[in-house]
Amino acid sequence: MLTRRRRGKDKAGLDLRDHQRYEVSLAVAYSGDQVVGRGLVLNISHGGCGIKAETTLPIGTFLELHIEAPSLHTPLHIDLAVVRWSLGKHFGLDFLQVHPDQETRLRRVLKSL
């Protein structure tokens, strides 16, 4: 199970994230209680990602994700993520639940970047 991490930057502009982020351009399909959409993952880490989507999502929205990566034959499945920030059609997610086999696949994708 993934653990909570610090987010954002401190007053001096230093990054407080516990996981390195990688700039990417990966297709993503997401769904939640009352939302289904597609977008583009712009950055990703072990603990979350940033997405540019076709819809605006409010903070606190819970989503399931399917991320397509060139190194994978089938999409990476994130069981549960939550929107932590939202600005227009851009939003940032924390991964809350990732099945162990999918977590291994995520690590493999990150290692290849």
Side-chain angles (χ1 to χ4, degrees):
M1 180 72 62
L2 298 173
T3 59
R4 202 173 246 296
R5 69 191 198 295
R6 296 175 290 170
R7 296 176 302 281
K9 297 186 179 195
D10 69 4
K11 292 179 183 178
L14 298 174
D15 198 339
L16 297 175
R17 289 174 176 85
D18 289 337
H19 304 288
Q20 181 178 355
R21 289 188 299 167
Y22 298 90
E23 301 298 318
V24 293
S25 182
L26 304 173
V28 62
Y30 56 88
S31 60
D33 282 342
Q34 297 181 357
V35 64
V36 174
R38 298 191 67 76
L40 197 62
V41 176
L42 302 176
N43 62 68
I44 191 166
S45 74
H46 182 258
C49 67
I51 293 178
K52 179 180 178 184
E54 55 191 25
T55 58
T56 302
L57 293 179
I59 293 170
T61 301
F62 291 98
L63 299 172
E64 178 180 358
L65 307 174
H66 294 275
I67 301 170
E68 298 177 25
S71 61
L72 301 176
H73 295 291
T74 59
L76 176 66
H77 180 228
I78 306 298
D79 296 307
L80 185 64
V82 64
V83 176
R84 292 294 185 203
W85 63 266
S86 181
L87 183 61
K89 294 185 178 183
H90 290 82
F91 52 89
L93 299 173
D94 272 346
F95 298 156
L96 301 178
Q97 291 179 358
V98 182
H99 192 275
D101 69 326
Q102 296 299 309
E103 191 169 349
T104 300
R105 295 177 80 214
L106 173 59
R107 287 181 198 274
R108 224 178 290 139
V109 168
L110 295 175
K111 196 173 188 176
S112 73
L113 299 175

